[in-house]
Amino acid sequence: MAAQSITTNLMVGDVNRSIDFWVGLLGFSVAECVDVEHRMYHGRMPGADLIWAMFVSGPAAVMVNRRDSLERELPLFTGRATGGTLTLYVVVEDLEGLHRRIQSIVPTIKEPETSFYGMREWYVRDPDGYVVCLAQKVGED
């Protein structure tokens, strides 16, 4: 397999609000959009009840898909929070002791290491798949 491109498809509450952000604030252009009756438009369609749009800026592209439309297409998204992937950054005391205590219990994403900004960080995955960074300022005991 040779991938030709990869584009994010974000679940959103309101496609027109996303246009305001991506186009109005960030300077992307609307390449295409689709309304609730599955009519496709090239470029922006003011006033349309949009369920999907693609924004472009140079080689970059972002798609947005309205929640109800995406949930119909992929029911596993029903009731899921929007906002995408994230990491939780948790500052702890005694990171090394915590690492020794739970390293065999939790899946490690990235072994502990000291960052250039003075934090010792260990990335793990929680039971639901979220990535959690456990961190401690270097020199704090």
Side-chain angles (χ1 to χ4, degrees):
M1 179 194 97
Q4 296 181 350
S5 70
I6 187 167
T7 305
T8 301
N9 186 18
L10 305 172
M11 182 167 60
V12 300
D14 183 325
V15 172
N16 287 306
R17 185 178 61 207
S18 294
I19 289 172
D20 291 342
F21 176 79
W22 288 98
V23 175
L25 295 178
L26 300 182
F28 280 64
S29 299
V30 176
E32 298 175 320
C33 54
V34 174
D35 71 13
V36 71
E37 300 196 12
H38 297 127
R39 291 180 293 227
M40 183 172 276
Y41 305 96
H42 298 285
R44 190 171 192 165
M45 184 48 106
D49 187 10
L50 300 176
I51 60 169
W52 178 89
M54 179 186 285
F55 314 123
V56 296
S57 179
V62 175
M63 297 185 296
V64 296
N65 205 319
R66 197 168 74 188
R67 172 183 282 282
D68 59 335
S69 173
L70 192 55
E71 286 177 344
R72 272 192 300 278
E73 188 176 333
L74 298 169
L76 74 107
F77 287 133
T78 301
R80 299 276 178 116
T82 58
T85 303
L86 59 99
T87 61
L88 301 170
Y89 195 87
V90 182
V91 177
V92 299
E93 294 179 10
D94 191 16
L95 178 63
E96 296 306 319
L98 181 62
H99 180 260
R100 282 190 303 275
R101 194 168 66 251
I102 68 171
Q103 68 179 329
S104 65
I105 302 167
V106 298
T108 292
I109 304 300
K110 184 177 178 185
E111 288 293 338
E113 68 179 52
T114 302
S115 69
F116 69 91
Y117 43 83
M119 295 296 287
R120 182 97 174 133
E121 299 170 332
W122 175 36
Y123 286 85
V124 300
R125 186 178 309 269
D126 86 347
D128 293 299
Y130 290 101
V131 175
V132 179
C133 178
L134 302 166
Q136 180 180 11
K137 181 129 182 92
V138 173
E140 288 186 358
D141 293 322

